[in-house]
Amino acid sequence: MSAALKETEQGFSARYRGLAARLPGAAEARRRAAALFGARGLPDTREEAWRFTSLRALAGTVFSRVEEPSEATLRLLARAPESDAPLIVFADGRMRADLSRLPRESEAEGGPRGGPGGERGVRVTSFAAEPSFERVGEGEPLVALNTMLAEDGANITVPADVDGGTLVLLHLGSGEAGQPPAFHPRHRVRLAAGARLALFEIALGEGAYLHNPLMEARLAEGAWLLHLRLLEESPDAFHLGSLHVALGARSRYEGFALVRGARLARSEVHAAIEGEGAQFFLNAAQMLGGEQLADITTVVRHEAPGASSRQTIRNVLTGRAHGVFQGRIEVARVAQKTDGYQMNQALLLSEGAQVSSKPELEIFADDVKCSHGATVGALDADQLFYLRSRGVPEKEARAMLVRAFLGGMLDAVPHEWGRSVLEGAVDSWWKGRPA
Amino acid sequence: MALLEIAGLEAEVEGKPILRGIDLAVPLGEVHAIMGPNGSGKSTLAYVLAGREGLRVTAGTVRFEGQDLLAMEPEARAAAGLFLAFQYPVELPGVGNANFLRTALNAVRRARSEPEVDALRFLKEARSALKRLSMADEMLRRNVNVGFSGGEKKRNEVFQMALLKPRLAILDETDSGLDIDALKIVAAGVNALRGPGFSALVITHYQRLLDHIVPDRVHVLTEGRIVRSGGPELAVSLEESGYAGLAAEAAAA
Ligand SMILES: Nc1ncnc2c1ncn2[C@@H]1O[C@H](COP(=O)(O)OP(=O)(O)OP(=O)(O)O)[C@@H](O)[C@H]1O
Ligand SMILES: [Mg+2]
């Protein structure tokens, strides 16, 4: 452990000590998280789960806390994709009801908003008003950090058998390199039995900052969560996020993530399949250039029979970028007839780009179908020449082939507006990037 | 001045000389056929003209409408009006045929300072071209050449040619793998473009295609050189005597 990284860790711990009396929610949970973080600190590459992703770049930085979002952050609002859907805006880690378009039945800052029919629709409250901790971060340093310092977040609830429609969760963040701010929002999603929701999370940013979000989601029997994510953090930012999702019987989590941003992004997804016949799908694309590193690490625990999990990760890498996918599937003895699949594919557009894959299967049931695979390739010279021979300029031809590589994944997004936003993000990746 | 003028062209692939001094001129409005045994360098010549990487031109010049063709990027050659129908058309999984063709058409139009066509007008043009080539509209919805039969791929090349309206089309064995009806359709596709502003270089092994696309000149390429040129009757005599006789003749000369 380097002294400089210690300094960063101590900065977080000192902040906790200064804030502890004022932080919302159970003080005991915070204390335990602070103790866990204090004992273990930020992970380093000697730990198996972090061997590809070094947090050295954080070393020596003491992150600051912001009370009021900066002007620069508020200006980012103009970059958000347009829609009429209900919208929750987080600016520098804080929920801003005034900038949001909350569902009618929602409450923010504890005060009721909106009209009648509160029982029937999507309800949004803030973590600051209704704090709760499902986990504190035992063995999970990113969760411990969040638990220790979370001040705000969105609590999203959809009642039984209600189709909650589309909800956009927008994170805006910015900061200066000298003393970059850190944001630790803590979100909670509860879908009651048979409820549905299309949640589109978008993160935009500028400058240097750390975004350390945690989302705890719970899907009751037969619920369906479509979770679209567009990560366009600033190229100087750090993203250390975790999603924990628990799936009840015959529920369905369908995730599509596009990671374009951050200097260093670690997106952890932990799925606990608790109910029979649940379905967990994760499709993710990482498009990286320059010195970017993005890491998707998943742990899918099959604890009930007859469930399926499918994960496909596609990396498009140029410059000296590094894409990482670590996927672990655990199948408990009771989880017979599990169908697990994971695939990591990479298109390397430059000599300096690299991809790392680490699949892990831990299977204790005997009647299961589990597979994993990885492919790495470059753009096909014959395909490129064919396109160019038809008049398509080289840069556009490359973009078309990259788009084709990600195409099936985008086409499968079962949400028209969401799909068009993600497609736009894929297509604009090329702007200003050397071919 | 001929539309295409090739002089003393030599090229090698991976250090191996394949084209060994080619002189050939195709005047505007003419169709020339190139015949020759397997491995004689016909496709290599086509690729050199279209600008494929990995082929090293070691000597000679190629002028297209007076411009130095070899100095141009492949896309610039297409924009200038050159089209190669590939002997082995390339599959593009994940790229829809309609999107591919419209992108190509608009890229070429942009380069020529012509207005781009919108999706609707493109579809109209594409459908009418398909109809003329007796091809199904369904073709537009499929991925480029993916799962196409050999003959469908060749027809797709001719369809692209019909849309891009080149000034010089190089057809590299577009007739191989075609049934008799398809052959007539392909020939009709080429003949429809024939006129004072269009030239073609038709690479083929068979006289049959040349019955439908009657060439102005026929050239025989063996071992990287044009060993014989003549009128359409040359193709007929080759059909009877084969290349062996020619080689003996060339050796004696
Ligand atoms: N990439 C390559 N590496 C090595 N040799 C090559 C390569 N490409 C072509 N050649 C060789 O160049 C020679 C000419 O090939 P080319 O494809 O031009 O012949 P062709 O006249 O078109 O033959 P065919 O009638 O069979 O289509 C052949 O001997 C071939 O093996
Ligand atoms: Mg050939």
Side-chain angles (χ1 to χ4, degrees):
Chain A
M1 175 67 47
S2 79
L5 200 56
K6 264 254 115 37
E7 197 182 324
T8 304
E9 290 165 5
Q10 281 163 357
F12 287 126
S13 297
R15 174 132 67 93
Y16 163 69
R17 284 192 301 276
L19 279 176
R22 284 182 286 153
L23 288 170
E28 177 51 26
R30 306 275 195 177
R31 263 196 301 278
R32 275 174 50 212
L36 288 167
F37 186 79
R40 188 173 161 191
L42 290 167
D44 70 34
T45 50
R46 275 170 301 188
E47 293 180 41
E48 185 54 32
W50 289 83
R51 58 185 258 223
F52 300 117
T53 301
S54 164
L55 296 182
R56 238 184 349 248
L58 274 74
T61 301
V62 172
F63 290 91
S64 63
R65 168 176 183 261
V66 284
E67 303 241 12
E68 279 296 315
S70 69
E71 284 299 315
T73 296
L74 296 176
R75 274 197 302 273
L76 290 169
L77 198 53
R79 278 197 359 218
E82 286 191 30
S83 88
D84 303 328
L87 166 75
I88 312 172
V89 176
F90 278 78
D92 287 349
R94 284 175 207 279
M95 187 160 160
R96 287 288 297 256
D98 58 325
L99 302 176
S100 302
R101 215 166 32 239
L102 296 177
R104 287 186 1 127
E105 300 78 12
S106 300
E107 299 166 25
E109 306 296 332
R113 285 168 53 96
E119 290 295 277
R120 295 298 305 157
V122 179
R123 188 165 170 270
V124 177
T125 63
S126 78
F127 169 86
E130 281 185 8
S132 72
F133 303 96
E134 197 156 303
R135 58 180 49 69
V136 296
E138 190 82 54
E140 293 163 343
L142 302 185
V143 174
L145 181 62
N146 178 282
T147 304
M148 184 167 85
L149 293 170
E151 294 187 58
D152 210 345
N155 293 334
I156 299 163
T157 314
V158 186
D161 297 321
V162 166
D163 183 347
T166 299
L167 180 62
V168 181
L169 185 55
L170 180 63
H171 301 269
L172 309 172
S174 75
E176 305 280 333
Q179 218 190 14
F183 320 121
H184 311 268
R186 190 170 185 110
H187 309 296
R188 193 178 71 197
V189 178
R190 291 280 176 279
L191 301 192
R196 299 160 69 97
L197 181 67
L199 178 65
F200 194 173
E201 241 188 299
I202 299 172
L204 304 174
E206 205 173 85
Y209 57 88
L210 165 65
H211 189 192
N212 167 226
L214 170 65
M215 180 176 282
E216 293 174 304
R218 190 162 276 285
L219 278 51
E221 181 167 350
W224 180 68
L225 177 63
L226 174 63
H227 188 195
L228 309 182
R229 289 202 276 173
L230 173 59
L231 218 68
E232 280 202 42
E233 307 276 21
S234 145
D236 297 317
F238 302 103
H239 178 99
L240 300 175
S242 321
L243 165 70
H244 285 260
V245 55
L247 290 93
R250 286 165 297 280
S251 68
R252 181 176 168 100
Y253 172 91
E254 228 173 310
F256 294 84
L258 173 60
V259 180
R260 291 198 342 172
R263 168 176 169 191
L264 187 163
R266 164 93 162 195
S267 309
E268 292 194 10
V269 178
H270 299 254
I273 295 178
E274 298 172 353
E276 198 164 329
Q279 293 178 300
F280 171 83
F281 290 125
L282 179 67
N283 284 335
Q286 309 200 96
M287 301 182 84
L288 311 170
E291 300 280 327
Q292 285 184 301
L293 183 154
D295 167 340
I296 293 178
T297 292
T298 68
V299 180
V300 178
R301 293 202 319 272
H302 283 265
E303 294 164 1
S308 60
S309 64
R310 303 188 74 79
Q311 307 173 65
T312 304
I313 313 297
R314 298 214 169 116
N315 300 274
V316 177
L317 308 170
T318 187
R320 294 173 39 77
H322 187 179
V324 177
F325 174 54
Q326 308 187 96
R328 184 178 166 84
I329 302 177
E330 301 173 5
V331 182
R333 200 178 305 277
V334 296
Q336 299 295 357
K337 305 277 182 212
T338 285
D339 184 358
Y341 168 86
Q342 63 178 39
M343 175 58 83
N344 188 25
Q345 298 178 305
L347 191 56
L348 303 183
L349 302 179
S350 66
E351 296 233 325
Q354 60 166 321
V355 65
S356 304
S357 290
K358 191 177 72 180
E360 287 178 279
L361 303 180
E362 198 183 283
I363 301 172
F364 292 104
D366 46 29
D367 183 13
V368 302
K369 210 169 80 197
C370 273
S371 62
H372 64 83
T375 65
V376 183
L379 283 183
D380 185 288
D382 288 337
Q383 294 181 341
L384 208 52
F385 174 62
Y386 192 63
L387 283 164
R388 295 179 72 192
S389 78
R390 296 303 181 247
V392 182
E394 182 173 11
K395 195 166 175 176
E396 201 175 340
R398 284 169 167 264
M400 276 179 92
L401 294 177
V402 166
R403 180 73 168 68
F405 175 70
L406 298 177
M409 185 174 271
L410 289 170
D411 295 344
V413 174
H415 191 281
E416 203 173 326
W417 176 71
R419 186 171 57 242
S420 73
V421 171
L422 293 172
E423 281 173 351
V426 166
D427 292 340
S428 68
W429 185 68
W430 291 93
K431 300 226 169 86
R433 194 172 286 284
Chain B
M1 182 189 65
L3 177 70
L4 179 74
E5 279 178 292
I6 304 172
L9 183 66
E10 295 178 21
E12 54 181 50
V13 181
E14 292 178 358
K16 181 174 145 201
I18 307 290
L19 303 183
R20 303 196 296 173
I22 293 196
D23 297 290
L24 176 67
V26 182
L28 198 57
E30 290 196 2
V31 171
H32 287 203
I34 294 185
M35 303 181 83
N38 295 132
S40 59
K42 303 181 298 296
S43 293
T44 305
L45 174 62
Y47 283 141
V48 167
L49 296 177
R52 186 192 171 113
E53 281 171 28
L55 303 165
R56 213 163 73 83
V57 174
T58 47
T61 57
V62 180
R63 304 222 153 255
F64 184 69
E65 295 193 303
Q67 295 184 75
D68 178 3
L69 189 73
L70 299 178
M72 295 159 74
E73 297 290 332
E75 53 267 39
R77 301 181 195 202
L82 187 126
F83 181 91
L84 168 63
F86 283 55
Q87 182 174 2
Y88 304 107
V90 178
E91 298 188 3
L92 302 177
V95 179
N97 217 12
N99 174 36
F100 163 67
L101 284 165
R102 192 157 80 89
T103 306
L105 182 62
N106 280 334
V108 164
R109 292 180 69 98
R110 258 199 320 274
R112 296 175 186 163
S113 309
E114 293 169 21
E116 297 190 18
V117 297
D118 61 29
L120 222 66
R121 211 185 112 208
F122 167 77
L123 268 185
K124 235 183 101 201
E125 279 194 27
R127 290 221 173 94
S128 84
L130 283 172
K131 204 161 170 192
R132 274 182 274 125
L133 294 168
S134 307
M135 289 163 62
D137 284 5
E138 184 244 359
M139 182 91 150
L140 286 170
R141 285 190 296 276
R142 291 171 67 177
N143 284 342
V144 181
N145 295 327
V146 178
F148 284 29
S149 75
E152 284 170 338
K153 284 181 182 170
K154 296 302 178 80
R155 281 202 250 183
N156 198 24
E157 296 290 289
V158 174
F159 171 47
Q160 293 170 38
M161 181 182 74
L163 283 176
L164 295 174
K165 300 194 180 66
R167 291 171 63 68
L168 175 70
I170 303 165
L171 293 110
D172 191 356
E173 294 194 30
T174 305
D175 54 335
S176 62
L178 289 185
D179 64 44
I180 294 165
D181 292 343
L183 184 78
K184 286 183 184 158
I185 290 164
V186 166
V190 175
N191 288 331
L193 291 173
R194 265 182 111 154
F198 173 82
S199 307
L201 208 48
V202 179
I203 298 170
T204 183
H205 284 296
Y206 305 107
Q207 162 61 27
R208 206 179 50 170
L209 178 70
L210 302 179
D211 287 341
H212 299 284
I213 308 174
V214 180
D216 296 289
R217 302 281 294 165
V218 176
H219 309 279
V220 179
L221 187 70
T222 42
E223 292 176 7
R225 281 192 198 96
I226 290 181
V227 295
R228 185 96 176 249
S229 296
E233 70 288 345
L234 177 56
V236 180
S237 68
L238 277 175
E239 190 92 337
E240 287 157 11
S241 60
Y243 298 113
L246 267 185
E249 228 176 275

